[in-house]
Amino acid sequence: MSARREPPQVRGLGTARLIAGLDRFQRLDLAAHTRVHPPLPRPARDALLDLAERIDLRGRGGAGFPFARKARATVAAAERTGTRPVIVVNGAEGEPPSAKDRMLLARTPHLVLDGACLAAAAFGAEEIVIGVAAGSPGEHSVPAALDERDLPCPARTVCLPERFVSGESGALIRGINGLAVLPPAVKARGAEGGPAGVGRRPTLLSNAETWAQLAVAARLGPAAYAAVGTGAEPGTVLLTVNRPGAEPLVVEAPSGTRLGEVLEVSGLPPGAGVLVGGYHGGWLDPAAAVGAPLSRAGLAERGGTLGAGAIVALPAATCPLGEITRVAAWLASESAGQCGPCKRGLPDAAEALAALAAGTGGPAVLEDLRRALGGARGGGACSHPDGTARFVLSALDVFARDVEAHVAGPGCGRPVLGLLPLPRDEGASLEVDWSRCAGHGLCGVLAPGLVRLGPHGFPVSTTIPVAPWQDHDARRAVNQCPALALHLRRP
């Protein structure tokens, strides 16, 4: 069983709110939940919207969109169309370094459901839908919690593939609607309903932590809720701290807490650099990271982003460029493959990174890498290209000396230890049998997005990752290879 199937352990800085009771219980069933948390108020629509506005509740899935604005748009669309809205809990956490939503749904599911039920009752929702990753603890924990409690409307759980794009809001809604779990080709707001909503109804979607924060705020009230955190960003934040050789730790801390304090309580030094915000986040120099306040505004001042709150401190013993290359290749294969930035830009960037990490790329390859990432930004149907570009470009700045060593010669001399977390189960890949390959070059024609040919017509790599959207081209290349030199290996 992989670490992602295990409910994460927790630690707190200051008074526990979201993790209250988890020092005594491994999981809060309804009986334990009611002993730990006071009775839940039932604010009417306008009171709930006012509460969310007064604490400036923002989405905790990465985008940070104001909850009240999204909720008002959903309610207005429902009134305009004469329909009832749908409440969606996004628990499809497909990013390897993030575990906070998985922790909430596994260990304190009723706190998340409290927030969703508050909105469902206040806004007259038709149903509540909770999206979880297939095989995650939430797949069993959430239905068990639903069976224990009274609900203001019907509720159901939908299991989605554990892929990076499954957590994108449009992809999640498509999955709930029974369609392929991919971001829609045209950006649209679920709050407006129509093709972008669940069952074409206005849809209010937020991630698990956002709903849990709403439940905490409803119990405390705006003044008590804002007693911790910063003036602009009150309350606490949930952070996933990834520890080499150990399971991730979910830490609750007041907004604005220094990153150094979170690393210290987690037993980690800042290492060679600290990633904040996960694989769509950015890298910070270790000296700057220690004093960085963990808030949206505080990190933005340092060129960082809070994102979904995932933190990785990269040890100095591993090759930074090799680590970045592993993740960039995975991000390229995890894309939806629907638009140019994902189909061409991200694979081109991953290939350039691989050449630099191997010490076979020079200044021109580094320039190609920056050009590919620059072209990928701002042009996709979702934020995947932009987030991937932020992750890689910030790494090139923070690890500039290591990049220079790889550009100028054989590299930094350190091994790639594989410390940036990735799924243990490898995806499909094309493998080249060099004893058979005769350099016909047909594979490069049949699968141009997969197979890159060198100057003599041979593939430049013996093992080529295959994204789900590239499966057809991969099979065609295998079936039509004149020398039978290609093999499609599946996990």
Side-chain angles (χ1 to χ4, degrees):
M1 181 177 291
S2 71
R4 287 191 62 80
R5 302 298 189 265
E6 298 292 338
Q9 296 303 304
V10 300
R11 193 162 298 168
L13 288 171
T15 302
R17 290 182 172 183
L18 300 176
I19 64 171
L22 295 183
D23 56 338
R24 291 178 283 154
F25 302 95
Q26 177 64 13
R27 178 183 180 274
L28 298 182
D29 60 11
L30 185 59
H33 176 75
T34 54
R35 288 200 295 271
V36 170
H37 296 282
L40 185 68
R42 300 289 180 182
R45 184 187 71 178
D46 290 344
L48 188 63
L49 291 170
D50 180 67
L51 170 68
E53 283 185 334
R54 291 180 64 183
I55 64 171
D56 192 22
L57 179 62
R58 302 286 184 116
R60 303 303 179 95
F65 194 83
F67 176 86
R69 190 188 309 173
K70 187 190 302 185
R72 289 187 186 279
T74 304
V75 171
E79 292 178 343
R80 185 171 61 252
T81 58
T83 58
R84 297 168 63 192
V86 175
I87 304 299
V88 174
V89 177
N90 186 353
E93 199 169 36
E95 185 173 357
S98 185
K100 63 186 180 68
D101 290 337
R102 176 162 54 97
M103 182 281 294
L104 287 170
L105 294 176
R107 302 193 61 188
T108 181
H110 285 286
L111 193 61
V112 178
L113 294 177
D114 280 349
C117 289
L118 281 177
F123 305 149
E126 184 165 329
E127 68 170 337
I128 299 169
V129 184
I130 304 96
V132 300
S136 69
E139 185 176 0
H140 304 287
S141 176
V142 173
L146 290 174
D147 287 342
E148 289 183 299
R149 62 185 294 151
D150 294 328
L151 299 164
C153 62
R156 57 189 170 109
T157 305
V158 174
C159 294
L160 301 158
E162 190 175 8
R163 293 197 62 216
F164 194 91
V165 296
S166 297
E168 196 274 336
S169 60
L172 173 59
I173 290 175
R174 282 173 54 87
I176 294 171
N177 285 335
L179 303 174
V181 187
L182 300 171
V186 178
K187 294 179 180 179
R189 296 192 302 170
E192 298 297 328
V198 173
R200 302 187 66 86
R201 292 163 292 181
T203 300
L204 177 57
L205 181 150
S206 281
N207 81 312
E209 185 192 345
T210 310
W211 292 115
Q213 293 282 4
L214 183 65
V216 168
R219 287 183 166 96
L220 293 176
Y225 182 86
V228 302
T230 70
E233 299 176 41
T236 64
V237 293
L238 279 185
L239 309 159
T240 307
V241 182
N242 292 266
R243 303 176 292 176
E247 293 186 3
L249 182 69
V250 175
V251 177
E252 182 178 18
S255 176
T257 300
R258 303 293 175 181
L259 177 53
E261 296 180 56
V262 173
L263 294 177
E264 183 177 359
V265 78
S266 304
L268 290 176
V274 183
L275 175 67
V276 182
Y279 293 159
H280 276 180
W283 289 90
L284 297 176
D285 177 88
V290 171
L294 288 166
S295 65
R296 294 187 307 274
L299 287 168
E301 290 177 358
R302 289 160 174 78
T305 177
L306 183 60
I311 297 171
V312 184
L314 191 66
T318 191
C319 170
L321 196 56
E323 297 282 354
I324 302 304
T325 297
R326 292 175 55 249
V327 175
W330 180 79
L331 288 170
S333 69
E334 282 291 296
S335 76
Q338 297 183 123
C339 48
C342 280
K343 294 182 72 172
R344 303 297 303 186
L346 299 190
D348 285 351
E351 182 183 0
L353 269 172
L356 291 172
T360 59
V365 175
L366 180 58
E367 185 60 31
D368 288 343
L369 170 61
R370 293 187 181 277
R371 187 181 303 110
L373 293 171
R377 300 174 87 170
C382 69
S383 62
H384 187 58
D386 302 76
T388 303
R390 182 188 302 114
F391 169 79
V392 175
L393 290 172
S394 63
L396 296 181
D397 292 337
V398 170
F399 304 113
R401 289 186 178 180
D402 298 277
V403 173
E404 289 174 5
H406 283 266
V407 170
C412 63
R414 284 169 285 178
V416 181
L417 300 179
L419 299 180
L420 290 183
L422 287 176
R424 293 181 180 179
D425 298 329
E426 296 181 0
S429 63
L430 272 179
E431 295 184 346
V432 181
D433 183 346
W434 289 118
S435 66
R436 289 180 175 272
C437 183
H440 294 96
L442 182 60
C443 54
V445 176
L446 296 173
L450 268 172
V451 182
R452 304 300 176 91
L453 302 177
H456 302 293
F458 291 88
V460 298
S461 177
T462 58
T463 303
I464 306 163
V466 178
W469 52 273
Q470 296 172 314
D471 189 73
H472 173 75
D473 286 350
R475 287 187 285 106
R476 187 169 63 162
V478 169
N479 293 336
Q480 297 188 38
C481 176
L484 303 178
L486 286 178
H487 172 67
L488 184 58
R489 184 183 62 80
R490 299 188 184 277

